[in-house]
Amino acid sequence: MTSSVYPAAAVATAETEAVKTPKKAALASWIGSAVEYYDFFIYGTAAALIFPKLFFSADNPQAAAFASFATFGVAYITRPLGAVALGHVGDRFGRKKVLTFTLLLMGLSTFMIGCLPTYGQVGILSPILLVIARLLQ
């Protein structure tokens, strides 16, 4: 009689966890998307107002603005590629580890963008470092 109680309890627990998991997954997905869209908003604003003056030559303002928005566009190309690569790693080693890694990588690369030298300080190396930081971000 005792053995018949435990399987029923295990089934009830499994059903309860299955019901909770989609809500938790949806909330986690929403938070991840909100952070990503916030990043795109902040970076897009900086690409329009600040980056052309800091990271590109002042000789041609239109080219500087275009190049600045090109660094913004780099994320649209690399994020799906990163999702494929890190999705595979997450399936293999655990999604929590990959989530922690991606949040740390995004935070560190954002910090790196804030610490980059300007075009006046290092020349062409400045936009190259900006693109590398954006790729990592």
Side-chain angles (χ1 to χ4, degrees), residues 43 71 74-75 78 105 108-110 112-113 116 124-137:
Y43 193 90
T71 64
V74 163
T78 57
L105 184 63
L108 289 173
S109 59
T110 301
M112 190 171 103
I113 289 172
L116 287 176
I124 194 71
L125 184 61
S126 181
I128 292 170
L129 291 173
L130 179 62
V131 170
I132 290 170
R134 188 62 177 163
L135 288 170
L136 292 173
Q137 194 179 36

Side-chain angles (χ1 to χ4, degrees), residues 67-90:
S68 179
F69 282 118
T71 64
F72 177 74
V74 163
Y76 285 102
I77 297 167
T78 57
R79 290 205 181 179
L81 299 175
V84 169
L86 291 175
H88 174 69
V89 172

Side-chain angles (χ1 to χ4, degrees), residues 3 20 27-29 38 52-53 67 70 83 85 87 90 95 104-105 108 114 132:
S3 62
K20 289 182 182 179
L27 179 64
S29 297
Y38 180 73
K53 298 171 187 166
R95 294 180 182 185
L104 285 172
L105 184 63
L108 289 173
I132 290 170

Side-chain angles (χ1 to χ4, degrees), residues 20-101:
K20 289 182 182 179
T21 302
K23 290 179 183 178
K24 288 171 97 177
L27 179 64
S29 297
W30 182 83
I31 290 171
S33 294
V35 169
E36 185 174 12
Y37 287 124
Y38 180 73
D39 169 60
F40 274 103
F41 172 74
I42 294 297
Y43 193 90
T45 303
L49 301 175
I50 300 168
F51 291 171
K53 298 171 187 166
L54 289 180
F55 298 114
F56 300 97
S57 174
D59 296 339
N60 189 346
Q62 289 82 15
F66 182 77
S68 179
F69 282 118
T71 64
F72 177 74
V74 163
Y76 285 102
I77 297 167
T78 57
R79 290 205 181 179
L81 299 175
V84 169
L86 291 175
H88 174 69
V89 172
D91 289 342
R92 199 149 200 228
F93 299 106
R95 294 180 182 185
K96 188 174 182 179
K97 290 179 183 179
V98 172
L99 176 64
T100 303
F101 171 74

